[in-house]
Amino acid sequence: MDSLLKQRLELLEQASEIDSDIKNTVIEFADKFEKKYSLEMTEDNSSMLITHLAMALSRIKKGEIVEAMDSLALDEIKQCKIYNDLPEFYNDIEERLNIILPQSEKDFIALHACTLVLK
Amino acid sequence: MVKFVVGGQVEKQNIADLIKEVGGEDVEVTVKSDLQAANDVKSGKADYYLGACHTGGGGALSMAIALLTRAKTATISMPGKPPKEENIINAVNEGKLAFGFTGDHYEKAVPIIVREILKK
């Protein structure tokens, strides 16, 4: 994860939009993602995924729910070659933050993760 | 002349084009990253921030919330919850400076936001 992505997370933490547990969880997620897919997460390729994930985790911690994604879009995401890898990342996040990720949030995270790997 | 900056994550150029189409000579529009765009409003280089993402509450507004505070931002739509004109009018009148919505709602949200801002 490059310094600009870390700066994003720090700004969100300073503004109390996320807490330090979420910031650290997102950093750990990024480290694991980079290793698994042999890529470097940067401001250019990953700002959407990192920002979305941080805000989604904050939303889940507060008990806010987002509506499910359009089913046609979801069908397309399910064709992505890494889609079936993602539960291991979700499990880590759930254990680390002691939360349950709703399916609607998993789908949006998958959308951004698949977009990054396909770039 | 009202200066708009488009941040967010999706439909950025389409949003900018629509702001220009609605506002004509009365607006100036720039497309930037969400972080740069929010910073422009904070530093006074731009008057208003518009941005879209897939959920309306993620990348559309998060950096604007971080830099401008939540009190200056308004989420105009979310998945399955299209923009409501009355909410946009209220948000503009309350002095909100940054507006976030989902990418599929920009065609409905942008004209109302721009029109209300130009009335001020």
Side-chain angles (χ1 to χ4, degrees):
Chain A
M1 175 187 279
D2 71 6
S3 59
L4 281 171
L5 285 175
K6 283 206 175 107
Q7 187 191 351
R8 280 179 176 267
L9 294 173
E10 279 155 13
L11 283 170
L12 291 173
E13 185 185 17
Q14 284 161 19
S16 300
E17 287 300 314
I18 64 172
D19 58 29
S20 61
D21 281 344
I22 290 176
K23 182 183 80 174
N24 292 331
T25 301
V26 174
I27 291 171
E28 285 167 19
F29 166 87
D31 287 344
K32 185 173 173 179
F33 202 89
E34 286 179 318
K35 282 183 191 131
K36 186 168 179 86
Y37 298 110
S38 302
L39 52 82
E40 188 191 2
M41 295 176 79
T42 65
E43 170 74 5
D44 278 346
N45 68 16
S46 301
S47 59
M48 287 172 69
L49 172 59
I50 293 300
T51 310
H52 176 85
L53 180 60
M55 293 303 281
L57 295 177
S58 179
R59 192 161 54 223
I60 294 161
K61 267 192 151 183
K62 291 176 195 159
E64 297 169 10
I65 305 287
V66 292
E67 297 277 329
M69 183 185 294
D70 173 78
S71 61
L72 279 175
L74 184 57
D75 287 344
E76 196 173 324
I77 294 161
K78 285 180 177 172
Q79 305 301 316
C80 170
K81 63 181 179 183
I82 70 156
Y83 183 82
N84 292 325
D85 298 344
L86 295 174
E88 67 175 284
F89 291 94
Y90 304 145
N91 292 343
D92 285 353
I93 292 170
E94 288 180 333
E95 276 182 27
R96 179 78 163 73
L97 293 177
N98 195 25
I99 57 170
I100 300 290
L101 294 173
Q103 189 59 45
S104 58
E105 294 285 9
K106 288 178 180 173
D107 294 341
F108 282 110
I109 295 166
L111 163 71
H112 292 295
C114 289
T115 304
L116 168 60
V117 173
L118 288 173
K119 269 185 184 173
Chain B
M1 172 73 73
V2 180
K3 292 179 183 170
F4 286 87
V5 65
V6 179
Q9 296 178 330
V10 297
E11 304 286 4
K12 290 162 80 137
Q13 193 56 52
N14 286 335
I15 291 167
D17 292 345
L18 190 50
I19 294 171
K20 194 69 193 163
E21 189 184 320
V22 175
E25 296 299 310
D26 296 327
V27 301
E28 182 181 296
V29 191
T30 316
V31 176
K32 295 201 170 178
S33 81
D34 57 349
L35 193 49
Q36 290 170 324
N39 209 33
D40 275 10
V41 175
K42 186 177 184 181
S43 63
K45 288 181 193 161
D47 301 307
Y48 291 96
Y49 171 111
L50 270 66
C53 72
H54 297 292
T55 61
L61 270 185
S62 52
M63 299 322 294
I65 290 169
L67 293 178
L68 303 173
T69 75
R70 201 166 268 270
K72 289 290 180 189
T73 66
T75 299
I76 297 304
S77 82
M78 298 188 85
K81 291 179 186 166
K84 285 187 183 167
E85 184 165 359
E86 185 188 343
N87 292 346
I88 296 174
I89 294 169
N90 289 339
V92 172
N93 289 333
E94 284 166 9
K96 307 288 188 188
L97 300 178
F99 301 85
F101 36 89
T102 55
D104 56 342
H105 292 145
Y106 87 89
E107 288 168 299
K108 184 167 184 195
V110 171
I112 305 171
I113 296 168
V114 174
R115 197 183 64 221
E116 289 305 313
I117 286 171
L118 291 178
K119 278 185 193 168
K120 288 188 89 175

